C-alpha cells in the first residue's frame, strides 16, 4: 500500500434513488483503491439516503460481493441535509469531511469504467501542474455519442461541454483542456487548497450550475492545468440536458443565467475586460432581446447579483491579487 495516492469519491444526491446504486457499484469496482465515499443528500424526497445506507449495509453483511479488485473497503460518510443547499455548498461539505490526496466529484447518474480513477491519478502524478482531470463521458442512452470531454470557453465567456452530442470516435486524443465538467471531475487536494477562497472550493453563492466553470477559470488564473484522458470512460444519464429549457424551473434558469455574470465579474482580469466586452456584445444583445421577449422572468436574477455584490467584489479582489502574485 506504500505510495498509493488516497482518493475519496464525493456524490451529492437529490432525488437520485433510481441511479445511486449503479453509481456506487462502479465506484467500488475501481482498480485504484477508494478510501472514502462521501454522499451528501440534499433533502431528497425519494429515499435516496436510505437507499445509500441500505446498499452499504448489504456490502457489510455480504463481504464477498465486494469487487475482487478492491484492496480495502472504503469508509462511507453519509451527510443528510435538512434542506436542499445546492450542488456547490454540498460538495464543499464533502470536501471538508475528507483529507485525501485526490477528490473525485461525481454525479449520481454517472457510471465509471473500472480504470477511470487510476488513469486520471496516473496522469496527474506524472505532471504536478495538473490540478484537475476528466475522462471521456459518454451518453448512457447512446454510448456512441459524447456527453463531455472537458470544458471550453469562447471569447464571449460562454462555456460548453467539449464534444457534446458528437461521435465518440472523433474524440480519441488526450490533452490539455480549459477545465473539467463537475459530473466526473478528479481534483488534487493541492489545487483545492491553493484556489479555495475563504475555505470554499466551489463558490457557495452559485448554488448550482457553472460552479465547475468558475473553478476551472480560477484554477487557470492561478497557474493550474486541466487534462482530458480519452481512455478513461464514464457513462452519463444527463436527463436534465435532454429535457431542454422548458423542463427546468424558473428558479434553476435564473441561477444558470446569473452565475455566468458572477463568474465573469470575479475572474475576468481588468486588462482583458474591454476586449471581452466587445467580443461578447453581439451575443449579449441577442440573448437579452430573446430574454425580454420570451423569458422576462429571468431579469429578477439580477437581484441576487446585487445582494451578493459586496461578496463578489471581495472574492474578485482575492483571486485577481493572488493571480498577479503567481504571475510575478
Amino acid at each position: 500500500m506504500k505510495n498509493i495516492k488516497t482518493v475519496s469519491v464525493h456524490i451529492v444526491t437529490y432525488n437520485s434513488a433510481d441511479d445511486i446504486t449503479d453509481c456506487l457499484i462502479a465506484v467500488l469496482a475501481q482498480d485504484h483503491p477508494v478510501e472514502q465515499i462521501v454522499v451528501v443528500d440534499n433533502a431528497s424526497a425519494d429515499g435516496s439516503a436510505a437507499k445509500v445506507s441500505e446498499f452499504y449495509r448489504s456490502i457489510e453483511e455480504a463481504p464477498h460481493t465486494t469487487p475482487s479488485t478492491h484492496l480495502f473497503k472504503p469508509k462511507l460518510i453519509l451527510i443528510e441535509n435538512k434542506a436542499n443547499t445546492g450542488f456547490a455548498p454540498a460538495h464543499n461539505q464533502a470536501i471538508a469531511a475528507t483529507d485525501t490526496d485526490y477528490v473525485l466529484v461525481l454525479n449520481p447518474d454517472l457510471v465509471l469504467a473500472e480504470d477511470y480513477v487510476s488513469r486520471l491519478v496516473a496522469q496527474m502524478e506524472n505532471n504536478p501542474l495538473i490540478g484537475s482531470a476528466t475522462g471521456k463521458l459518454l451518453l448512457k442512452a447512446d454510448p456512441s455519442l459524447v456527453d463531455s470531454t472537458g470544458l471550453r470557453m469562447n471569447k464571449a465567456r460562454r462555456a460548453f461541454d467539449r464534444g457534446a452530442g458528437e461521435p465518440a470516435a472523433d474524440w480519441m486524443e488526450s490533452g490539455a483542456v480549459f477545465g473539467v465538467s463537475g459530473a466526473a471531475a478528479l481534483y488534487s487536494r493541492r489545487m483545492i487548497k491553493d484556489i479555495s477562497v475563504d475555505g470554499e472550493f466551489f463558490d457557495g453563492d452559485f448554488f448550482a450550475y457553472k460552479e465547475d466553470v468558475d473553478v476551472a477559470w480560477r484554477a487557470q488564473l492561478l497557474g493550474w492545468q486541466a487534462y482530458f484522458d480519452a481512455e478513461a470512460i464514464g457513462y452519463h444519464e444527463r436527463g436534465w440536458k435532454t429535457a431542454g429549457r422548458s423542463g427546468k424551473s424558473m428558479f434553476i434558469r435564473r441561477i444558470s443565467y446569473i452565475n455566468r455574470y458572477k463568474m465573469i465579474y470575479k475572474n475576468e482580469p481588468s486588462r482583458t475586460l474591454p476586449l471581452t466586452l466587445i467580443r461578447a456584445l453581439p451575443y449579449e444583445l441577442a440573448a437579452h432581446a430573446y430574454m425580454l421577449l420570451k423569458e422576462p422572468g429571468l431579469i429578477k436574477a439580477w437581484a441576487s447579483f446585487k445582494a451578493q455584490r459586496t461578496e463578489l467584489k471581495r472574492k474578485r479582489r482575492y483571486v485577481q491579487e493572488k493571480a498577479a502574485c503567481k504571475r510575478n
Side-chain angles (χ1 to χ4, degrees):
M1 298 298 291
K2 283 186 177 180
N3 300 322
I4 294 180
K5 294 298 178 178
T6 56
V7 175
S8 56
V9 176
H10 300 180
I11 305 167
V12 172
T13 52
Y14 179 69
N15 295 333
S16 309
D18 290 343
D19 301 306
I20 188 61
T21 299
D22 287 344
C23 178
L24 290 172
I25 289 172
V27 169
L28 290 174
Q30 291 300 297
D31 59 16
H32 184 101
V34 172
E35 186 169 281
Q36 295 171 305
I37 299 174
V38 184
V39 177
V40 182
D41 184 70
N42 264 338
S44 294
D46 68 345
S48 293
K51 195 148 191 180
V52 172
S53 295
E54 179 185 348
F55 174 77
Y56 227 75
R57 187 165 54 249
S58 71
I59 293 173
E60 294 291 339
E61 293 173 353
H64 62 276
T65 63
T66 303
S68 60
T69 55
H70 213 55
L71 298 184
F72 54 87
K73 192 179 302 180
K75 175 185 177 183
L76 173 68
I77 301 173
L78 176 60
I79 301 171
E80 297 184 62
N81 289 333
K82 294 182 179 179
N84 184 1
T85 63
F87 180 95
H91 270 297
N92 286 338
Q93 282 181 276
I95 289 169
T98 62
D99 60 358
T100 50
D101 299 314
Y102 290 97
V103 164
L104 178 66
V105 169
L106 185 63
N107 278 10
D109 61 346
L110 218 147
V111 173
L112 302 175
E114 65 179 17
D115 59 351
Y116 189 90
V117 170
S118 61
R119 286 185 178 278
L120 299 189
V121 169
Q123 292 292 347
M124 297 174 80
E125 285 296 299
N126 287 337
N127 182 354
L129 292 179
I130 298 175
S132 59
T134 188
K136 182 158 58 178
L137 307 185
L138 306 175
L139 293 175
K140 191 183 289 186
D142 185 355
S144 70
L145 298 178
V146 167
D147 175 68
S148 178
T149 65
L151 301 172
R152 65 180 180 88
M153 179 180 281
N154 67 15
K155 293 177 180 179
R157 300 314 191 197
R158 296 181 67 207
F160 305 89
D161 283 297
R162 294 189 336 143
E166 298 179 13
D170 292 348
W171 293 88
M172 303 300 291
E173 185 175 348
S174 303
V177 291
F178 168 77
V180 300
S181 167
L186 189 69
Y187 296 109
S188 76
R189 182 72 61 171
R190 291 185 305 114
M191 190 188 83
I192 289 173
K193 290 180 177 178
D194 185 53
I195 76 168
S196 290
V197 180
D198 291 339
E200 283 191 344
F201 179 59
F202 293 113
D203 190 328
D205 290 334
F206 277 43
F207 187 86
Y209 298 100
K210 297 185 175 66
E211 72 293 318
D212 51 356
V213 185
D214 176 60
V215 160
W217 197 351
R218 190 186 336 139
Q220 188 178 87
L221 287 171
L222 299 182
W224 292 93
Q225 299 174 10
Y227 189 83
F228 161 65
D229 187 326
E231 296 185 51
I233 305 297
Y235 303 91
H236 196 186
E237 187 70 36
R238 188 77 80 152
W240 66 266
K241 202 174 199 179
T242 56
R245 293 183 65 83
S246 61
K248 302 176 200 169
S249 68
M250 179 57 69
F251 172 72
I252 292 300
R253 279 180 276 170
R254 283 174 181 160
I255 290 172
S256 181
Y257 163 77
I258 202 62
N259 281 355
R260 173 171 169 264
Y261 295 99
K262 292 177 182 178
M263 177 182 69
I264 293 171
Y265 185 88
K266 291 192 307 171
N267 297 314
E268 185 72 56
S270 298
R271 68 184 184 280
T272 60
L273 182 58
L275 184 57
T276 294
L277 291 175
I278 293 171
R279 288 168 168 170
L281 186 60
Y283 167 76
E284 296 298 332
L285 291 174
H288 283 81
Y290 174 87
M291 179 187 74
L292 292 173
L293 287 172
K294 301 291 187 179
E295 296 184 275
L298 285 180
I299 201 71
K300 293 183 179 180
W302 285 100
S304 73
F305 188 100
K306 183 178 179 181
Q308 295 167 5
R309 175 71 184 275
T310 300
E311 276 296 289
L312 289 168
K313 188 174 182 180
R314 183 182 59 79
K315 291 172 183 176
R316 171 181 173 79
R317 185 182 304 114
Y318 178 88
V319 172
Q320 298 302 325
E321 289 179 355
K322 187 165 185 176
C325 289
K326 293 267 188 176
R327 288 195 303 270
N328 298 331

